[in-house]
Amino acid sequence: MVTAINGYTLARNGALLLAGTMLSGVPVWAQVAPAGAAPAAQARSGPPRAQAAAPASVPTTPVAAPVSQTLIKTLRVEGSQRIEPETVLSYTKLRVGIPYTAETLDQALKDLQASDLFADYSIAGVEDGNIVLRIRENPIINRVILEGNKALKADKITKEIKLAPRQIFTRTAVRQDIARIIELYRRQGRFAAVVDPKMVNLDQNRVDVVFEISEGPKSKVRQINILGNEVFSDDKIRGQMATKQARLFRLLSSATSYDQDRLSYDQQKLRQFYLTEGYADFRVTSAVAELTPDKKDFIITYVVEEGKRYKFGDVTVDSQIRDFDNKKLASTLPLKKGEWYNAKLVEDSVDNLSQTAGLFGYAFTEVNPEFQKDVDTLTMGINFNIAEAKRTYVERVEINGNSQTQDKVVRREIRLAEGDAFNSFQVKRSQDRINSLGYFQDKMEIKQTPGSAPDRVILETNLEERSTGELQLSAGYSSLERFIIQANITQRNFRGKGQELRAGVNYSSYSKSIELGFTEPYLFDKNIALGGDIFRRDYNSFNYVGNDRQTTYSQVSTGFQIRAGVPLTEFWSLSGRYGLSYDEVGLDQASYFTNGVCDPLKAGRYLCEALGNRWTSSIGYSLIYDTLNSRLRPTAGQRFSFSQDFAGLGGDVKYIRTRAEGSKFWNLGSGFIGSIIAEGGYIHSLEKSRGEGVDRVRITDRFYLGEPQFRGFDIRGVGPRVLRQQYVTAADGTQTVVTDRNQIVDDALGGRAYYLARAEIEIPLGSGARELGLRPTIYAQIGSLFGITKPLPTAVFPTSVDAAGNVTVLPINTPLFDSAGRQLYFNTYTPTGATETAQRATTCQAGYSDTLGGACSGAEANVIATSAIAPFKETFLGNSPRPRLSVGIGVNWNSPFGPLRIDLAKAILTQPGDDPKLITFNVGTQF
C-alpha cells in the first residue's frame, strides 16, 4: 500500500499557522512485490503535528517501479463529505481498467495536493488493483477574526481579503490574505506591521481563523538627501516633492509617510521642475529608500544629473491643414526665441494648437512637437507639426447615466447638435453649463470618440446624478442671530425637469420669516426663465449697549415678487422683476414712547422718523455677463451684473436703487483658487424733502455693511451711525461723558452708497480634510458705506455754570399727560399715620381729586408732573467714503450638524465710529 498524509496542528486553543505555511503530503512508498509475493508492510500516517512557519516544498521520495504493470480493477473514494467522489476522482487521471505504476500513483497524489481542497490524502489497495483514495477534506471557515487592528478598521480589511465565513479553508488563501493585509498597512506607511495567523479547531470540521495583527509605528520619512545638485539647493528641490520630511510642524500632514508610488511621482515632479527651468538633459540616476533598522523611518536618497541649461531656439509651426497660417499660429504661441526653455510652455502650446484646430472643426488633430537640440549653442528649436486632418462634424450626442433628469434638461445646455461642425470651445462651454446645473457629480467631462467615419465625432456625456433635494431641520447658534431654528426644503430638479421648488421657515431671537418660491428655467421649452416668491419677514433692528443687544425698531414685510429672464447671447442675459410689499415699521411703546408719541429723547430722532406703514411697488432689471465654469464652486471665469430697481410704480416709496457686482476666479495651480469679488451700489430718492436733517431715503431702504459681508467688523459695524454717550458726575462734582464703547448706545443708520471688494485664496488640503468638507481661505477686504444727510441733534440740554466756571449739563424735564391727554400734576400730602410727606398724580392744578379729571377740592397749588431725561451727548460718525481694510483667514466646514464657518479677521484701517470684531462664526444655518 502507498500512503501520503498532509497534516497540521488543529489545537482548540489555536495552533500556529504562519504566512508561509505550506502543508503537503509526504509520500512514503512501500516496495511493490511481484505477483503472488507477500504484501509489503503498509506505511500509515502518524498523528498530526505542528508545522514550521514556512515549511519547504513537499519532498517526493523516489519509488521503485513495480516489477510488472497492474490494471486498476476498482476505484473508489473514502472520506468525502461535501465533495462528491466523482469530483475527487476528476482531479486525478486514475480510471478503472487502465494500468498504473509508481509514477502514476505519485502523480495522483500531486494532483490531489494541487487542488488545495484536502487536509489528508492517501492511496491504498496498490497490491491487488483495488485502488482506494482516502481523503480528509479541508475544514469550513466558521469565523474570520481580526485582533489588534486599530489604524485600519475591520471593514476595510475584510473587504480586501478572500477568507470569509462558510468558505473552504485553504492555505493558499491564508498566505494571500496575509500578504494583502501587510500591503494595506504599508500603504499607510506602517512597514513594521506583522500578521500572525492562527486557527482554532471546532466540531463538524469547522475552524475559526484568527489574524493577530501587530500594526507597529507609522514609518515616516526622516530625511531626503539630494546628491549631484549644484544649481538649486536641497530645500528648493525638496519643496517640489509631494513627499515631505517628518518635522514637528508637519505633525498632522500625511505627506511625511513613505509611499512607494509617491517616490515614483516625486521623480516625475523633479524632472518637470528642471524641465520648466531650462535643464532639458536632467535625469534622476537613482532613487533609493532605506528603512532604518528599527523599521520606524525611511531615508530617501536621490542622485541627480542637472545638465546644461537651454534657451528656446527657432519656434515654427508646420501645419498640414491648409486653413491655417503657420506664421500667425507661431506668433500666438507663448514660446519666444531667446527665452529659457520651459517644457510646460511646450505642453501649453500643444494644447493651444489643438484647441485652435478644434475651433475650426478638427476634432482629432495631432500636434507633434519636434525638438532640435543644439548642444553647442545650448538652444532648443521646436517645430510643431500639425498633421493633416479632416473637418469633423457631430454625428450624435449621447447622454448616459441620467435616470431621474430628463434628457432635454441636459441637451438644452449642450451648445452642439447632431450635424453641427465640431467646435472645441462649444464642447467646453457645454461641459461648464452642465456642471453649473448642480444636478450631477463634479468634474463631468464630455468625451469625444470617433464616429462611423473619419470626419464624424460622437460626443459622449456620462453623468452621475447627485441628490438635488435638500431637507434641513436644524437648531443652531449664530453670532448674528443668537439661537436659530430653521426648516427648509428645496428641490432644485423638481420632477427631473430642472425646476426649482423651495419653502423655508426661519425663527431666531431677532428675525422670523416664511418664504415660498418656484422657478421654471425653460418656460414652454423656450429659453425663458420664469419664477416667483411670496414671503413674510419679521425683522427686529437693534443696537448694542455694552454686550447687551437692544431691540430698536421692528419691520414686518409681506409681499411677493415675480421674475423673468432671457439670454441675449451665450454669455449675456437679461432678467426683469416686479415686487410688491407692505412694510410695517414700529417701536416698543413702553420703551420709546411718551404720552402716546414716539419720544426722540428716548428713541432718537432718526428712529422716530422711520415709523409708519407703507407700500413699496418696484420694478427692476439685471444685465448679467457670466463665463464662470461653475455657478456653485467656480474655479475659473468671471461674472458681472448691473441691476436697477425703480420704486414708485404706485405705492408710498419712490427711489432708484442701482447696484453693480463683479467677480473673477483663477485656478492658480496645485489646488489653489484665487478670486477677486467687488460690488457697489447707490440709492437715489425721488421723494421731496422730508424736513431739515432728515434724509430722503428711509432708514429701512438704505444699504448696510458689516458682518457677514465685511469680515473684521461687527454686524452693521461700518458706516454712518449715532453714538449716544451719557454724562457722569465725578466725586469732585466735575462732569464727563462715558468713553467705554461697551456703555455707549450705538445706532447704525445705513448709507446711500457703498463699495466692497475682496481678494481671496482658497487653500487646498489633503484628501482626509477634503472628505470632511474643510475649505480654508485667506483674504483681504476693503470697503465703505456713506452718503446720508447728517441728522439734527435729538435734544439741546440746558446747562449751568458754577462760580469756578465749570459747566454742568442738566436733564430735560418733560411734562406728563394722562391717556386722555390732560396735564398731570404732583400733589404733596401726608399719608394717614405717617410723619413724612408724599406725592400723588392728579389732573388738578390746585387741590386734589380721587379720580383723574374729577372735581378738585382744596386750594393748595400743585407742581407740574415731569419726567427727567438724563443728559447725554450725541455724535454723528462714520459718514465717510474713506476705505476700511481688514485681513483674515476663514474656514468653511460641512459639519455633521450643519454648515459652519469661522472667521478670524483683523481690521487694519478703520474710521471713527466703526465697530471692529475679531472672531465671527455661524452654525446651523446657511451662509
Side-chain angles (χ1 to χ4, degrees):
M1 182 178 69
V2 180
T3 304
I5 293 178
N6 178 21
Y8 52 82
T9 303
L10 297 176
R12 178 167 298 275
N13 292 331
L16 184 63
L17 180 61
L18 296 178
T21 303
M22 184 72 176
L23 305 175
S24 56
V26 181
V28 181
W29 294 91
Q31 180 69 34
V32 180
Q42 191 178 52
R44 298 188 181 274
S45 61
R49 57 190 177 87
Q51 301 300 306
S57 59
V58 179
T60 302
T61 306
V63 180
V67 174
S68 62
Q69 288 186 340
T70 305
L71 296 178
I72 299 178
K73 299 176 184 178
T74 62
L75 183 61
R76 60 190 177 87
V77 176
E78 292 182 358
S80 62
Q81 297 177 355
R82 301 182 309 274
I83 306 175
E84 295 294 332
E86 292 78 4
T87 304
V88 177
L89 293 175
S90 69
Y91 286 102
T92 71
K93 296 180 181 180
L94 300 180
R95 300 293 182 270
V96 174
I98 67 172
Y100 65 91
T101 64
E103 290 78 7
T104 303
L105 299 177
D106 186 42
Q107 185 60 45
L109 291 174
K110 291 181 179 179
D111 291 339
L112 292 176
Q113 176 188 345
S115 70
D116 216 6
L117 296 175
F118 310 107
D120 294 329
Y121 39 87
S122 63
I123 299 178
V126 177
E127 301 85 350
D128 54 5
N130 295 313
I131 303 298
V132 179
L133 298 181
R134 292 173 179 166
I135 63 170
R136 183 161 62 85
E137 298 172 351
N138 273 333
I140 292 292
I141 297 174
N142 179 57
R143 291 185 302 168
V144 177
I145 303 171
L146 302 173
E147 295 181 354
N149 57 306
K150 295 180 180 178
L152 276 177
K153 299 300 182 183
D155 57 345
K156 291 187 177 181
I157 298 178
T158 52
K159 69 181 181 182
E160 297 287 344
I161 62 179
K162 294 182 177 181
L163 293 181
R166 296 183 298 277
Q167 289 187 357
I168 297 175
F169 169 83
T170 65
R171 296 173 298 280
T172 302
V174 172
R175 291 193 296 271
Q176 291 175 347
D177 286 350
I178 292 172
R180 181 57 180 160
I181 293 172
I182 291 177
E183 177 63 23
L184 291 175
Y185 276 100
R186 286 187 173 182
R187 289 192 176 185
Q188 279 205 340
R190 298 180 184 273
F191 285 80
V194 176
V195 181
D196 183 14
K198 291 185 178 180
M199 185 172 65
V200 179
N201 230 15
L202 304 174
D203 56 0
Q204 299 179 356
N205 198 22
R206 296 176 303 132
V207 293
D208 283 344
V209 180
V210 182
F211 290 107
E212 292 186 353
I213 302 173
S214 174
E215 296 180 324
K218 201 167 188 178
S219 301
K220 300 289 186 180
V221 177
R222 178 188 298 175
Q223 185 69 33
I224 299 177
N225 299 320
I226 313 294
L227 303 179
N229 57 309
E230 296 179 356
V231 180
F232 299 105
S233 66
D234 290 1
D235 289 339
K236 180 70 173 179
I237 295 176
R238 293 190 193 106
Q240 308 303 316
M241 299 179 181
T243 303
K244 303 299 181 183
Q245 298 178 129
R247 298 294 183 266
L248 186 61
F249 61 87
R250 296 194 183 107
L251 187 62
L252 300 178
S253 174
S254 60
T256 58
S257 300
Y258 173 75
D259 189 328
Q260 178 65 35
D261 296 335
R262 195 185 291 148
L263 186 67
S264 301
Y265 176 69
D266 283 339
Q267 295 180 59
Q268 298 177 9
K269 292 275 288 182
L270 286 182
R271 179 164 175 76
Q272 290 174 1
F273 169 67
Y274 270 92
L275 289 178
T276 58
E277 296 293 335
Y279 296 88
D281 296 330
F282 172 84
R283 67 191 186 100
V284 179
T285 58
S286 70
V288 179
E290 298 176 290
L291 187 62
T292 56
D294 58 5
K295 294 186 178 182
K296 291 184 177 181
D297 298 305
F298 275 89
I299 298 176
I300 302 176
T301 302
Y302 292 93
V303 180
V304 302
E305 290 183 5
E306 294 178 324
K308 300 295 184 180
R309 194 178 189 188
Y310 289 77
K311 291 185 176 181
F312 282 116
D314 292 327
V315 179
T316 58
V317 175
D318 184 9
S319 173
Q320 306 301 317
I321 301 176
R322 287 177 291 179
D323 293 345
F324 294 161
D325 186 318
N326 294 337
K327 291 185 178 179
K328 288 185 177 179
L329 283 178
S331 64
T332 62
L333 298 179
L335 314 181
K336 303 301 177 185
K337 183 177 181 180
E339 296 180 351
W340 291 114
Y341 173 76
N342 188 327
K344 180 64 169 59
L345 294 180
V346 177
E347 294 178 4
D348 293 343
S349 298
V350 172
D351 293 339
N352 291 342
L353 292 174
S354 298
Q355 291 177 7
T356 301
L359 291 176
F360 286 87
Y362 300 95
F364 304 107
T365 305
E366 293 185 8
V367 180
N368 299 311
E370 299 172 350
F371 299 89
Q372 297 93 35
K373 183 168 63 174
D374 191 330
V375 295
D376 296 329
T377 61
L378 295 179
T379 58
M380 183 74 74
I382 302 177
N383 177 55
F384 293 95
N385 187 5
I386 304 177
E388 183 177 0
K390 292 185 177 181
R391 192 180 297 275
T392 312
Y393 297 88
V394 178
E395 180 174 340
R396 66 178 182 273
V397 177
E398 295 183 352
I399 299 175
N400 307 315
N402 55 318
S403 58
Q404 297 180 358
T405 306
Q406 297 183 6
D407 268 18
K408 67 178 182 180
V409 174
V410 181
R411 288 188 182 276
R412 65 196 184 195
E413 304 298 333
I414 297 177
R415 314 329 272 170
L416 292 171
E418 286 82 353
D420 288 351
F422 176 82
N423 187 304
S424 59
F425 172 79
Q426 297 288 18
V427 173
K428 179 63 168 60
R429 179 61 180 166
S430 302
Q431 181 177 301
D432 291 343
R433 289 180 66 93
I434 294 174
N435 282 327
S436 293
L437 292 174
Y439 307 157
F440 312 105
Q441 297 296 334
D442 295 337
K443 300 182 180 179
M444 184 283 304
E445 295 184 359
I446 299 178
K447 295 184 179 180
Q448 306 160 27
T449 58
S452 59
D455 62 343
R456 295 290 184 267
V457 62
I458 298 174
L459 300 182
E460 186 176 337
T461 306
N462 295 317
L463 306 172
E464 183 180 351
E465 291 189 313
R466 64 163 59 165
S467 175
T468 56
E470 299 174 3
L471 174 62
Q472 185 182 40
L473 301 173
S474 62
Y477 184 85
S478 165
S479 59
L480 278 70
E481 299 293 331
R482 301 297 190 262
F483 288 100
I484 300 168
I485 298 176
Q486 183 181 57
N488 292 310
I489 182 170
T490 303
Q491 176 53 261
R492 293 180 287 107
N493 189 14
F494 185 56
R495 299 189 299 168
K497 294 184 176 182
Q499 300 168 338
E500 180 175 320
L501 180 66
R502 60 189 179 277
V505 176
N506 295 273
Y507 179 89
S508 72
S509 301
Y510 294 93
S511 65
K512 308 171 187 63
S513 69
I514 179 170
E515 300 189 29
L516 299 173
F518 177 79
T519 302
E520 168 56 71
Y522 275 74
L523 185 65
F524 305 124
D525 291 330
K526 304 296 182 181
N527 201 353
I528 300 174
L530 182 67
D533 302 277
I534 58 176
F535 58 85
R536 178 181 173 87
R537 306 184 185 113
D538 186 348
Y539 173 75
N540 291 328
S541 185
F542 56 88
N543 59 29
Y544 282 99
V545 179
N547 293 323
D548 296 330
R549 181 171 171 171
Q550 307 290 327
T551 298
T552 55
Y553 69 86
S554 64
Q555 179 180 357
V556 179
S557 298
T558 306
F560 69 90
Q561 186 182 75
I562 298 176
R563 309 177 308 275
V566 293
L568 301 178
T569 66
E570 179 61 30
F571 300 109
W572 287 94
S573 62
L574 178 67
S575 65
R577 56 193 167 270
Y578 172 77
L580 179 65
S581 64
Y582 183 66
D583 296 325
E584 302 171 77
V585 181
L587 283 168
D588 181 15
Q589 294 192 13
S591 301
Y592 299 106
F593 278 53
T594 300
N595 301 323
V597 179
C598 181
D599 189 346
L601 292 173
K602 296 180 178 179
R605 184 186 300 274
Y606 36 84
L607 293 184
C608 291
E609 293 165 355
L611 301 184
N613 300 335
R614 45 191 168 267
W615 287 94
T616 301
S617 175
S618 65
I619 187 170
Y621 73 92
S622 294
L623 184 64
I624 303 170
Y625 175 75
D626 189 348
T627 65
L628 297 179
N629 62 349
S630 173
R631 295 173 191 149
L632 302 178
R633 287 192 60 191
T635 59
Q638 53 194 352
R639 187 179 190 277
F640 171 79
S641 70
F642 178 83
S643 61
Q644 285 187 308
D645 289 279
F646 167 70
L649 196 68
D652 306 311
V653 180
K654 295 178 175 62
Y655 61 75
I656 294 179
R657 177 187 284 121
T658 304
R659 293 187 66 186
E661 298 178 353
S663 59
K664 186 172 181 60
F665 293 81
W666 297 271
N667 190 335
L668 303 178
S670 302
F672 289 89
I673 306 298
S675 64
I676 293 179
I677 301 172
E679 61 180 283
Y682 180 77
I683 182 169
H684 175 69
S685 176
L686 300 177
E687 299 181 24
K688 297 180 180 179
S689 174
R690 296 163 54 208
E692 183 182 0
V694 181
D695 198 275
R696 294 185 180 186
V697 178
R698 291 176 173 84
I699 193 171
T700 55
D701 297 324
R702 299 171 191 166
F703 297 112
Y704 290 89
L705 197 58
E707 183 191 349
Q709 312 102 307
F710 203 163
R711 302 156 192 167
F713 294 89
D714 206 345
I715 184 171
R716 299 189 174 190
V718 174
R721 61 209 326 102
V722 171
L723 302 184
R724 180 178 290 192
Q725 300 165 273
Q726 296 291 333
Y727 284 96
V728 293
T729 302
D732 59 0
T734 58
Q735 195 178 52
T736 59
V737 293
V738 172
T739 57
D740 183 0
R741 190 61 181 263
N742 290 330
Q743 299 180 27
I744 298 175
V745 176
D746 184 348
D747 280 321
L749 304 184
R752 283 192 182 189
Y754 83 101
Y755 64 87
L756 179 65
R758 181 174 77 246
E760 189 167 14
I761 296 178
E762 182 176 321
I763 303 172
L765 295 178
S767 57
R770 285 197 302 269
E771 290 177 0
L772 291 175
L774 290 174
R775 291 186 292 117
T777 60
I778 58 175
Y779 53 84
Q781 289 188 274
I782 187 171
S784 186
L785 177 70
F786 54 94
I788 67 169
T789 303
K790 181 180 179 179
L792 294 177
T794 297
V796 177
F797 288 89
T799 60
S800 66
V801 182
D802 61 14
N806 296 319
V807 178
T808 301
V809 181
L810 303 175
I812 293 178
N813 293 314
T814 304
L816 297 178
F817 298 85
D818 67 0
S819 59
R822 292 172 296 217
Q823 175 74 57
L824 292 177
Y825 297 87
F826 285 135
N827 174 256
T828 302
Y829 74 106
T830 301
T832 303
T835 58
E836 296 182 358
T837 60
Q839 287 185 330
R840 52 191 176 184
T842 181
T843 55
C844 298
Q845 187 174 2
Y848 180 74
S849 173
D850 291 334
T851 60
L852 295 179
C856 301
S857 61
E860 182 179 357
N862 296 323
V863 179
I864 296 177
T866 60
S867 172
I869 301 297
F872 57 81
K873 177 184 178 182
E874 281 186 340
T875 308
F876 179 63
L877 298 170
N879 191 30
S880 170
R882 292 181 180 179
R884 284 79 162 174
L885 174 66
S886 69
V887 296
I889 58 175
V891 177
N892 287 321
W893 178 32
N894 294 327
S895 68
F897 45 86
L900 163 70
R901 180 173 179 96
I902 299 177
D903 283 284
L904 178 66
K906 174 66 174 177
I908 305 299
L909 291 179
T910 62
Q911 297 299 323
D914 292 344
D915 289 339
K917 189 172 185 180
L918 182 64
I919 300 176
T920 59
F921 68 92
N922 203 337
V923 181
T925 185
Q926 297 291 340
F927 46 83

